[in-house]
Amino acid sequence: MAHFLYTSYSEAHMAGTYQGESGLTRLEALIRDLADFLPQIGELPPQQFDAELLTRVREIDTLSRSYPERRELLKKMCFDLCAYALDQSALLWRIRHKPSGYGGDVETLEMIYTGETHSQGVGRAWDAFIFRQSFLDIVRQRQKLLRDALREKCARQENVSVLSIAAHVRDFLQVAKFAPECAGRTLFYCLELETKAMSYYKKLLDHEKLNVQWDNRDLATLSLERSFDLIWLPRSLLYLNDEAVILLIRKLWNLLASKGTLLVVAVQPSDAQTLLEWCTGWALYGRTVETMKSLFLQAGIDEAAIRFDGSGWWLERP
């Protein structure tokens, strides 16, 4: 069990003792003070609460980088201390405890897509906190991104084949609703490793006029003898390190047909992602525009084939 020297960060400042303390002791105090601050979600205006909470987490993350060998223990400490406050949110409970083995399972994504969490009391305030974070704009932006790409393809050719990697089928439902002229001309070939998610997605699509084929094989060992007009990669890169990203992009690039497009959702680093890492154990790889472009170049993609539109990357084969 970690030893906490101070009751709170502010108390330590008042005592004037931070100057001589060790960096690790200071980090422990900052984490303890962060947990003490969380109940104020019901007392402070949302904008003020969000700014202060994210500032506190950013400071903890920055200072912890001086102790790389202790970061995981410090994160575990933070996770445990935040339990009482955060587990009141049904959404954050799922993200934190990962009943399906990881943070972004189908039930969690369904809560994010629909906004329906069934939390009670202060848990609803925590749901609202998560929903107003900018990184969730990715979910809304990616549906438009897919629609735009399909409209572009359908304007040029009669039928379109799409390889979808671990996507939520609500992306496809949005296509059926807002781009019906494309829905009937598109084949969605979906790779989804999680059997439970696949079953759920099939039920969602029961009454939709969409041409969807499913495959639960692992892309790492999968050998496909066909090519695709569009490859849809909405979230997989969030879970992969740089080396794995390069290998995946290289493999997918080779599955593109002539004039095909590899469509990758852009997720840039944010303080909210840092919060998720420290308080929920859901670590995501957010990357800057410069970093993403560098990875594509290392994967062998010609610079002329790379286009960024602010929400996604379009890698277009000649």
Side-chain angles (χ1 to χ4, degrees), residues 100 102 104-107 192-199 216:
S100 296
Y102 61 102
D105 67 349
V106 61
E107 287 89 349
E192 175 56 66
L193 277 175
E194 190 181 348
T195 304
K196 181 179 179 182
M198 187 186 298
S199 298
N216 67 348

Side-chain angles (χ1 to χ4, degrees), residues 257-310:
S258 175
K259 306 293 184 182
T261 302
L262 173 53
L263 194 59
V264 182
V265 174
V267 183
Q268 299 194 47
S270 70
D271 289 336
Q273 289 177 27
T274 304
L275 173 74
L276 288 177
E277 182 177 354
W278 279 89
C279 298
T280 75
W282 193 15
L284 302 173
Y285 285 92
R287 294 179 172 93
T288 65
V289 171
E290 294 76 15
T291 298
M292 285 299 298
K293 186 173 183 180
S294 173
L295 294 177
F296 295 144
L297 292 172
Q298 291 177 66
I301 313 300
D302 189 271
E303 187 168 4
I306 302 171
R307 174 164 62 95
F308 179 61
D309 69 358

Side-chain angles (χ1 to χ4, degrees), residues 6-61:
Y6 304 113
T7 302
S8 71
Y9 182 32
S10 56
E11 177 184 318
H13 270 299
M14 291 176 64
T17 54
Y18 268 175
Q19 292 182 352
E21 69 179 353
S22 72
L24 280 173
T25 304
R26 182 185 181 196
L27 271 167
E28 291 176 358
L30 287 170
I31 292 170
R32 178 66 175 269
D33 193 55
L34 171 69
D36 290 343
F37 172 74
L38 297 181
Q40 294 190 46
I41 192 169
E43 302 170 10
L44 296 177
Q47 187 174 4
Q48 179 183 347
F49 178 84
D50 292 8
E52 183 165 349
L53 176 57
L54 296 176
T55 297
R56 288 168 180 263
V57 173
R58 183 170 61 247
E59 181 179 11
I60 290 170
D61 184 68

Side-chain angles (χ1 to χ4, degrees), residues 42-287:
E43 302 170 10
L44 296 177
Q47 187 174 4
Q48 179 183 347
F49 178 84
D50 292 8
E52 183 165 349
L53 176 57
L54 296 176
T55 297
R56 288 168 180 263
V57 173
R58 183 170 61 247
E59 181 179 11
I60 290 170
D61 184 68
T62 300
L63 292 175
S64 72
R65 294 184 185 280
S66 297
Y67 306 93
E69 74 285 356
R70 300 295 297 273
R71 269 173 63 87
E72 293 309 311
L73 287 174
L74 290 165
K75 288 177 187 178
K76 178 64 167 60
M77 181 192 308
C78 188
F79 180 94
D80 291 343
L81 287 173
C82 293
Y84 175 76
L86 300 187
D87 283 353
Q88 296 180 73
S89 157
L91 174 58
L92 283 171
W93 185 91
R94 287 201 66 86
I95 293 173
R96 281 169 48 82
H97 295 284
K98 305 169 184 58
S100 296
Y102 61 102
D105 67 349
V106 61
E107 287 89 349
T108 302
L109 289 179
E110 188 69 1
M111 289 181 179
I112 292 172
Y113 269 99
T114 64
E116 298 174 2
T117 66
H118 307 296
S119 297
Q120 301 295 320
V122 73
R124 291 196 295 269
W126 280 111
D127 292 342
F129 167 82
I130 291 295
F131 287 135
R132 63 179 174 258
Q133 300 310 306
S134 61
F135 75 92
L136 279 191
D137 290 342
I138 300 162
V139 173
R140 294 175 280 273
Q141 291 169 354
R142 77 188 196 187
Q143 293 180 338
K144 181 179 183 301
L145 189 66
L146 179 60
R147 295 199 305 270
D148 289 349
L150 279 175
R151 284 193 176 111
E152 190 174 299
K153 293 293 180 186
C154 288
R156 298 176 181 174
Q157 58 196 78
E158 183 62 28
N159 297 300
V160 180
S161 58
V162 178
L163 174 61
S164 172
I165 314 293
H168 197 295
V169 295
R170 288 196 180 274
D171 297 344
F172 310 153
L173 294 176
Q174 290 291 304
V175 171
K177 182 176 181 180
F178 294 106
E181 72 280 9
C182 297
R185 296 159 52 191
T186 302
L187 165 66
F188 294 98
Y189 190 91
C190 302
L191 294 184
E192 175 56 66
L193 277 175
E194 190 181 348
T195 304
K196 181 179 179 182
M198 187 186 298
S199 298
Y200 180 76
Y201 291 155
K202 287 180 178 179
K203 289 180 181 178
L204 280 180
L205 295 176
D206 266 350
H207 304 292
E208 298 295 332
K209 295 180 179 179
L210 290 170
N211 187 4
V212 181
Q213 296 179 8
W214 294 94
D215 195 323
N216 67 348
R217 289 177 291 173
D218 188 349
L219 181 63
T221 58
L222 180 63
S223 177
L224 292 173
E225 296 181 355
R226 59 177 302 172
S227 57
F228 297 88
D229 303 307
L230 179 66
I231 297 180
W232 175 230
L233 195 61
R235 61 192 180 103
S236 297
L237 302 195
L238 285 169
Y239 302 95
L240 301 177
N241 62 29
D242 289 354
E243 182 179 358
V245 167
I246 292 169
L247 292 174
L248 177 61
I249 294 300
R250 189 176 294 152
K251 181 165 188 172
L252 294 179
W253 180 255
N254 290 328
L255 291 175
L256 283 176
S258 175
K259 306 293 184 182
T261 302
L262 173 53
L263 194 59
V264 182
V265 174
V267 183
Q268 299 194 47
S270 70
D271 289 336
Q273 289 177 27
T274 304
L275 173 74
L276 288 177
E277 182 177 354
W278 279 89
C279 298
T280 75
W282 193 15
L284 302 173
Y285 285 92
R287 294 179 172 93

